[in-house]
Amino acid sequence: MCYAIPGKVISIDSKTVTMDYFGEARKAIFVTGSYEVGDYVYAQGGIVVSKLSEEDAIPILKMWEKQFFELKARDAILSEQSKFESPISPIIKRAEKDETLSRNEMLAILSVEGKDLELLFQGANRIRKNKLDNACCVHGILEFSNYCQNNCLYCGIRSGNANIKRYRMNETQILEAVDHSVSLGFKALVLQSGEDPFYSDEMLIALVKKIREKHGILLFMSIGERSKDCYKKLFDAGAYGALLRFETSNDLLYEKMRPGRKRIDRINLIRDLIEIGFIVATGFLIGLPGQSKDDLINDILLTKSLKPDMYSFGPLIPHPETPLSSIQTPSLDDALKAIALTRLVDPESKILVTSALETLSPDAKKKGLMAGGNSLMINTTPKAYSTSYDLYPGKSTERPITETIKNTIELLYSLGRAPTDLGVTNDR
Ligand code: SAH
Ligand code: SF4
């Protein structure tokens, strides 16, 4: 099994390779290494992560060739337009033509109910297919420490929660868990933790170097706020991705939810990460207490203005050991509407269907993928720790990871999606 299809390099300029995938050209940038026309490479998130020999590439391509076109055909059938029209049809049509939606139109989308919902999700799915085709990247996520110096009101591993078993994985344990994730086929892996100063900048940089010496994978850091200098060194060590949400575009709400922290610092850091060259995933929480539809629209527009490589947003799932234990969980439809609206507002974006959304219903993952989503994460944290990485209820399962991978791949195939990340079609 494999989460990337090798591309054959057909042209190169100073920083970019153009690759062929069964007749389709895609681009990816390279940060290190040298490439020649005719080389076979793996790209993740628009970055070349490794080179492979022709001998290794040919059998993988053979395995994919038939499936590549079958999946596209299935996706095309499932994305077909429904016949019925509704008051939101003109809005969807405008988004399909890349027109900028007004705020009122966005509000109308977030207010859709009843049978118009299906039309909205279909429209968003069709835009996803027409703009980005059927690739759906599947990243692994490895949670290496649940210690956190912060006390975010929504989060189960906040420093104020005395009722969880804390853990930290040491370097050897992390490296072993990374080896295992890579052996399962992951080509992109997120290293996540609470904001844990136990790991010095130097420790993290050494860890990234060790991982990248061994593995041609796209490594994302999701470790909260560190200095720009630290992130630059992590990038230079070979971690080209960063996952850092701004959580909310509303200053007052942010300061309430993240005591002692300022939203502007987080935003400035996200901008710094983009400037450094990171592939950035960012976004917000849906369902913060007091968050209005207008806030949510601002959240989507702020994410868009940051021009991230991926949107990462999802429902806030109240955790019993937090001050937000009794707030209402957003409905699945509300969370799906946010995905669909994002697809309408930023048609070419990558939108993650988050694990938090998956907890809302057994078919939430499928619904997220059919409402405009085109990216997934699978938790690869060793079971001994994953139950303690308790950001929100329902997050960890007893299911073996191999079973989760199998189920996810089956779901993707049934929806005509290729569990792979090709290069990108534009220079976004
Ligand atoms: N400490 C790092 C990374 C771990 S937290 C950081 O904060 O960036 C990763 C994400 O989990 C946060 O960005 C937050 O949006 C999400 N999260 C925390 N508590 C949650 C909850 N109760 N429900 C849903 N998502 C939650
Ligand atoms: Fe810590 Fe991140 Fe949770 Fe905030 S959201 S308490 S920073 S782990």
Side-chain angles (χ1 to χ4, degrees):
M1 188 189 49
C2 165
Y3 294 98
I5 303 178
K8 187 174 187 177
V9 177
I10 49 176
S11 72
I12 308 171
D13 64 28
S14 59
K15 273 183 74 180
T16 313
V17 295
T18 304
M19 301 154 298
D20 170 77
Y21 292 97
F22 306 116
E24 285 178 19
R26 303 285 175 110
K27 286 180 179 180
I29 55 167
F30 56 96
V31 184
T32 54
S34 61
Y35 300 93
E36 288 174 21
V37 170
D39 280 348
Y40 287 89
V41 295
Y42 278 126
Q44 286 283 301
I47 281 201
V48 177
V49 290
S50 63
K51 192 150 72 170
L52 69 170
S53 68
E54 186 166 357
E55 262 174 17
D56 288 339
I58 298 291
I60 301 172
L61 286 170
K62 278 228 165 75
M63 189 186 86
W64 269 104
E65 187 166 16
K66 194 161 156 264
Q67 200 153 43
F68 190 77
F69 294 105
E70 281 172 3
L71 290 173
K72 274 179 195 285
R74 192 170 306 148
D75 183 31
I77 292 169
L78 293 174
S79 316
E80 264 168 23
Q81 195 154 358
S82 121
K83 297 276 176 283
F84 92 95
E85 295 268 321
S86 96
I88 59 155
S89 302
I91 307 179
I92 299 173
K93 281 183 191 141
R94 274 175 27 73
E96 278 185 291
K97 285 190 267 168
D98 286 328
E99 290 174 16
T100 306
L101 302 189
S102 70
R103 237 187 140 83
N104 276 343
E105 288 174 316
M106 294 181 207
L107 269 173
I109 293 294
L110 289 182
S111 310
V112 168
E113 279 176 9
K115 70 178 174 45
D116 289 354
L117 272 174
E118 209 35 54
L119 190 84
L120 169 63
F121 300 151
Q122 276 182 12
N125 185 41
R126 197 167 58 245
I127 294 175
R128 184 272 315 152
K129 187 223 149 232
N130 290 340
K131 293 287 179 186
L132 295 160
D133 217 330
N134 68 336
C136 177
C137 47
V138 185
H139 295 184
I141 178 163
L142 174 56
E143 300 147 341
F144 63 93
S145 160
N146 70 351
Y147 280 85
C148 189
Q149 63 183 356
N150 284 341
N151 212 12
C152 304
L153 266 60
Y154 40 82
C155 178
I157 66 168
R158 65 202 297 267
S159 56
N161 182 6
N163 288 332
I164 56 165
K165 201 168 132 209
R166 301 276 172 182
Y167 72 90
R168 283 188 181 110
M169 291 168 68
N170 64 30
E171 189 186 80
T172 311
Q173 291 169 320
I174 300 173
L175 290 172
E176 276 173 15
V178 170
D179 287 350
H180 184 59
S181 307
V182 174
S183 77
L184 290 167
F186 289 96
K187 290 265 181 286
L189 191 62
V190 181
L191 290 187
Q192 191 174 87
S193 68
E195 229 172 78
D196 185 0
F198 168 85
Y199 300 90
S200 64
D201 293 355
E202 290 66 34
M203 279 164 82
L204 292 178
I205 293 158
L207 175 71
V208 167
K209 274 194 188 136
K210 285 194 182 150
I211 295 172
R212 292 291 283 116
E213 271 159 19
K214 211 166 161 194
H215 299 299
I217 55 169
L218 174 60
L219 201 58
F220 277 80
M221 303 307 286
S222 178
I223 50 175
E225 290 169 49
R226 298 238 169 187
S227 68
K228 181 179 180 183
D229 179 59
C230 169
Y231 270 107
K232 171 82 177 87
K233 287 179 177 150
L234 289 167
F235 184 87
D236 291 340
Y240 300 141
L243 165 56
L244 191 76
R245 292 178 172 179
F246 57 81
E247 314 294 3
T248 170
S249 54
N250 180 322
D251 275 315
L252 288 178
L253 197 51
Y254 187 94
E255 283 170 32
K256 250 197 238 164
M257 293 297 125
R258 308 197 73 227
R261 295 298 176 123
K262 293 246 174 297
R263 196 182 65 91
I264 188 70
D265 296 335
R266 190 96 165 172
I267 294 287
N268 284 341
L269 178 56
I270 294 168
R271 291 190 206 283
D272 286 342
L273 297 176
I274 291 170
E275 188 196 306
I276 292 170
F278 275 101
I279 291 184
V280 169
T282 190
F284 47 88
L285 280 163
I286 303 168
L288 286 164
Q291 182 188 45
S292 64
K293 285 197 175 83
D294 263 318
D295 285 324
L296 199 51
I297 290 172
N298 289 340
D299 291 340
I300 294 172
L301 293 177
L302 175 57
T303 318
K304 183 178 180 187
S305 76
L306 292 166
K307 297 201 176 80
D309 293 274
M310 193 192 287
Y311 282 72
S312 165
F313 60 84
L316 192 176
I317 315 292
H319 190 291
E321 298 292 336
T322 65
L324 302 188
S325 58
S326 57
I327 65 162
Q328 196 167 359
T329 311
S331 70
L332 176 59
D333 281 344
D334 281 347
L336 294 174
K337 276 191 259 182
I339 294 182
L341 176 59
T342 303
R343 177 60 63 208
L344 265 53
V345 166
D346 197 355
E348 295 191 7
S349 55
K350 251 189 207 161
I351 304 174
L352 181 68
V353 175
T354 56
S355 318
L357 183 111
E358 289 179 34
T359 67
L360 295 181
S361 124
D363 61 355
K365 188 170 6 190
K366 175 176 173 185
K367 287 189 162 167
L369 290 168
M370 293 304 279
N374 60 342
S375 197
L376 293 174
M377 273 190 199
I378 292 182
N379 197 313
T380 69
T381 309
K383 293 285 174 215
Y385 304 115
S386 60
T387 42
S388 301
Y389 198 83
D390 189 23
L391 297 178
Y392 48 84
K395 198 181 137 288
S396 59
T397 73
E398 285 303 311
R399 223 171 287 133
I401 175 146
T402 44
E403 196 182 314
T404 307
I405 292 174
K406 185 170 160 280
N407 293 344
T408 305
I409 299 297
E410 277 172 12
L411 172 68
L412 289 174
Y413 284 175
S414 75
L415 300 179
R417 306 296 176 84
T420 177
D421 192 357
L422 309 179
V424 288
T425 45
N426 57 12
D427 294 321
R428 203 178 141 84

